[in-house]
Amino acid sequence: MAEEVKKGQAPKAAAPKQNKAPKAAKPQQNAKAENGAKGTAKKEAAGQVKPKGWVPNLEKLYKDEIIAKLTKQFGYKTVMQVPKLQKITVNEGVGVATADKKIAENAQAELSMITGQKAVLTYSKKDIANFKLRKEMPIGVKVTLRQTKMYEFMERLIKVSLPRIRDFKGIEEKFDGRGNYTLGIKEQLIFPEIDIDKVTKVVGMEITFVTSTNSDEEARSLLASFGLPFKKKA
């Protein structure tokens, strides 16, 4: 209970609150902020930081041209029926990594550079004596790309990497009967992100394009519209 004021005495005035001076930023915080600013500047210089509202070229192509093209070709009634690219998965096997884990780590670093997204290691699920394979040993690396990174990777693949293949005459059609397409790459050296002088082992990979349609014909038209160079049918 508050103390009662004695008769004849004036109540005591409340002591004014003292404004505390703001705490100075710690040296560690300043260093982190400075390092963060430098990191952002480096990313901007490398083109990794996109301006606000930026849309990948292939995503813009899909919205501006491909939707209308496929609608006319297949007679869709609504935009929701038009097939779209949902994701791209990139898988790389490194079976020899059972003898040298460094190979798996190198493959993980390379695939991360190629796709622009951190790759993850895949592990064996059981022991296989004939292959000297034990459970939980690294046997490959993979990446699943969606949205912006998916479109960016696809554009680099079409415009830069595939044309680097010697005597390139187009890609084979390997649809799975459910509207998905898998492209086999024999060596990672076709990607300009890879420094040939630092490659310890040449490996291949599988790139799978997953679409929203179960029709191979519709999926092929979708991917061809993006620019995937399928071989012309005889």
Side-chain angles (χ1 to χ4, degrees):
M1 183 180 293
E3 185 179 355
E4 294 182 0
V5 180
K6 293 182 179 180
K7 189 174 181 181
Q9 290 183 352
K12 294 181 180 180
K17 293 184 178 180
Q18 296 181 352
N19 295 325
K20 294 183 180 180
K23 293 183 179 179
K26 295 181 181 180
Q28 291 180 348
Q29 293 175 337
N30 290 333
K32 286 182 179 179
E34 185 176 349
N35 291 335
K38 288 181 179 179
T40 301
K42 287 181 179 180
K43 289 180 179 180
E44 288 177 347
Q48 295 177 4
V49 176
K50 307 300 182 183
K52 188 176 181 180
W54 179 84
V55 177
N57 293 329
L58 292 187
E59 182 178 359
K60 189 173 185 300
L61 177 67
Y62 177 76
K63 293 177 179 178
D64 294 348
E65 299 180 23
I66 296 178
I67 290 178
K69 177 183 176 181
L70 296 183
T71 298
K72 182 178 180 181
Q73 181 180 353
F74 295 100
Y76 300 124
K77 300 299 182 183
T78 66
V79 175
M80 298 300 294
Q81 291 180 289
V82 180
K84 58 185 177 181
L85 186 61
Q86 294 181 318
K87 63 182 179 180
I88 295 176
T89 60
V90 187
N91 294 280
E92 189 175 291
V94 287
V96 289
T98 55
D100 185 359
K101 291 184 179 180
K102 189 68 177 177
I103 295 176
E105 294 174 358
N106 290 340
Q108 184 182 26
E110 288 181 352
L111 193 56
S112 298
M113 286 191 295
I114 290 171
T115 61
Q117 180 174 303
K118 185 174 177 58
V120 297
L121 292 170
T122 56
Y123 298 88
S124 58
K125 296 182 179 180
K126 59 183 179 180
D127 300 330
I128 304 178
N130 293 340
F131 295 98
K132 298 180 180 180
L133 185 67
R134 296 192 302 274
K135 187 177 180 180
E136 296 299 325
M137 290 188 74
I139 57 174
V141 290
K142 70 175 182 179
V143 168
T144 299
L145 304 171
R146 301 177 190 273
Q147 299 178 350
T148 298
K149 289 188 180 296
M150 172 185 74
Y151 287 115
E152 289 181 332
F153 170 75
M154 188 178 186
E155 183 173 12
R156 295 196 305 272
L157 175 70
I158 294 170
K159 295 185 177 180
V160 181
S161 301
L162 290 179
R164 287 161 61 97
I165 298 176
R166 184 177 299 177
D167 300 324
F168 181 69
K169 296 179 181 179
I171 56 178
E172 300 285 351
E173 296 185 22
K174 295 182 180 180
F175 287 87
D176 64 355
R178 293 174 293 178
N180 305 314
Y181 172 70
T182 297
L183 169 64
I185 300 295
K186 293 182 179 179
E187 53 185 37
Q188 81 275 38
L189 303 180
I190 69 170
F191 295 96
E193 294 85 359
I194 298 299
D195 186 347
I196 297 177
D197 296 331
K198 295 182 180 180
V199 172
T200 56
K201 183 176 179 59
V202 176
V203 294
M205 64 183 68
E206 288 188 341
I207 303 173
T208 301
F209 300 82
V210 179
T211 73
S212 62
T213 178
N214 289 323
S215 167
D216 287 350
E217 182 185 2
E218 294 178 16
R220 186 193 184 285
S221 293
L222 170 66
L223 298 180
S225 297
F226 277 121
L228 273 181
F230 292 106
K231 287 183 177 179
K232 294 182 179 180
K233 296 180 180 180

